[in-house]
Amino acid sequence: MSFASVYKVLFKRNSIFVGTVFVGAFLFQTTFDSAITKWYENHNKGKLWKDVKARIGAPEEAEDDE
């Protein structure tokens, strides 16, 4: 795909260009966020609440005096 065809498809009209920028930014944001979250959870495995909660155990149920 040459630059001229990319220009005709994506950049010639301002509305298409703005839409392309928004879609690109949205896709980048979701990909970047999921990648960083996976890295963070892998890097801090065993230190996060979801990991510690199982070791601490569920809180004891309140006993009814009835």
Side-chain angles (χ1 to χ4, degrees), residues 31-45 48:
T31 305
F32 186 79
D33 183 50
S34 64
I36 293 298
T37 301
K38 285 182 183 181
W39 173 83
Y40 181 80
E41 289 178 354
N42 190 28
H43 185 70
N44 292 307
K45 192 171 285 189
L48 299 173

Side-chain angles (χ1 to χ4, degrees), residues 11-65:
F11 302 129
K12 192 165 186 173
R13 296 184 63 197
N14 190 40
S15 60
I16 302 299
F17 176 70
V18 170
T20 303
V21 169
F22 283 149
V23 168
F26 179 76
L27 292 176
F28 176 78
Q29 180 238 339
T30 54
T31 305
F32 186 79
D33 183 50
S34 64
I36 293 298
T37 301
K38 285 182 183 181
W39 173 83
Y40 181 80
E41 289 178 354
N42 190 28
H43 185 70
N44 292 307
K45 192 171 285 189
K47 302 176 197 173
L48 299 173
W49 172 246
K50 66 181 182 178
D51 301 328
V52 175
K53 181 173 51 172
R55 277 190 264 146
I56 293 174
E60 296 179 15
E61 295 180 16
E63 296 180 17
D64 292 333
D65 292 333

